[in-house]
Amino acid sequence: MKTKIAAIALALLVAGSARAEVVDAQPNGFEVRRQVVIAAPAGAVWATLVQPSKWWASAHTWSGSAANLSLGAASGGCFCERLPNGGSALHMTTVNAEPGRKLVLVGALGPMQSSGASGALTFLLAEKDGQTTVTVTYDVGGYFKGGLDKIAAPVDGVLGQQMAGLKAAAEAK
């Protein structure tokens, strides 16, 4: 457990230049928020967002490869991962998809997946002058041994790494 938290903390140090904030952190839950401006229209950012295999860091997958990730960008869709030997992981479920505007996923990421914690991961896209501001909020609540407040900052760091990946992939198109 301490090794996983240390790895998440390390990711915090190498996270992208997105604006970050731990909005609230309590033993029973937290809210983190990230914002990044991407030099691409919202439609292009959306097209990249719904292909996590292009931007999610492989280091933050169970299989070790982002190429195994997929996202069903419609209500009931799956943010899923193929695992070796025919295995799979459902990381989150899509509950709201408004192409070019909003994506909401519910579930638990990383070490929270095997705890009693769950959350809503919301991506809001706002385009202005050909650039898109992406605001990502992850609201998590429930039981996590040791308290969710202890992992809020590391989770925020991992989210920052993912947003840096999204920005790089969307701007590379």
Side-chain angles (χ1 to χ4, degrees):
M1 173 67 137
K2 288 183 181 181
T3 303
K4 285 184 182 180
I5 291 175
I8 294 170
L10 178 61
L12 175 65
L13 297 174
V14 296
S17 60
R19 193 171 82 213
E21 179 180 12
V22 174
V23 177
D24 188 25
Q26 304 292 325
N28 65 338
F30 64 81
E31 178 182 349
V32 295
R33 183 179 302 133
R34 288 264 167 176
Q35 191 172 74
V36 64
V37 177
I38 300 175
V45 173
W46 178 267
T48 305
L49 175 64
V50 298
Q51 296 181 67
S53 61
K54 296 186 181 288
W55 57 271
W56 196 269
S58 290
H60 296 288
T61 65
W62 296 118
S63 66
S65 175
N68 292 319
L69 297 174
S70 62
L71 175 62
S75 293
C78 176
F79 177 26
C80 287
E81 181 175 358
R82 289 183 318 277
L83 299 175
N85 300 316
S88 64
L90 186 157
H91 296 289
M92 303 187 102
T93 302
T94 303
V95 295
N96 187 314
E98 299 175 36
R101 293 188 56 235
K102 182 178 184 178
L103 179 65
V104 182
L105 307 171
V106 296
L109 295 172
M112 293 178 288
Q113 192 175 51
S114 58
S115 75
S118 187
L121 180 64
T122 303
F123 297 84
L124 297 175
L125 287 66
E127 182 180 341
K128 183 178 179 184
D129 301 326
Q131 294 193 356
T132 304
T133 299
V134 180
T135 304
V136 182
T137 305
Y138 193 23
D139 292 313
V140 177
Y143 176 77
F144 185 83
K145 188 174 184 173
L148 285 164
D149 54 329
K150 305 291 188 297
I151 65 167
V155 168
D156 179 60
V158 170
L159 214 58
Q161 186 178 15
Q162 308 318 321
M163 292 304 89
L166 176 62
K167 177 179 173 62
E171 289 179 348
K173 286 191 170 193

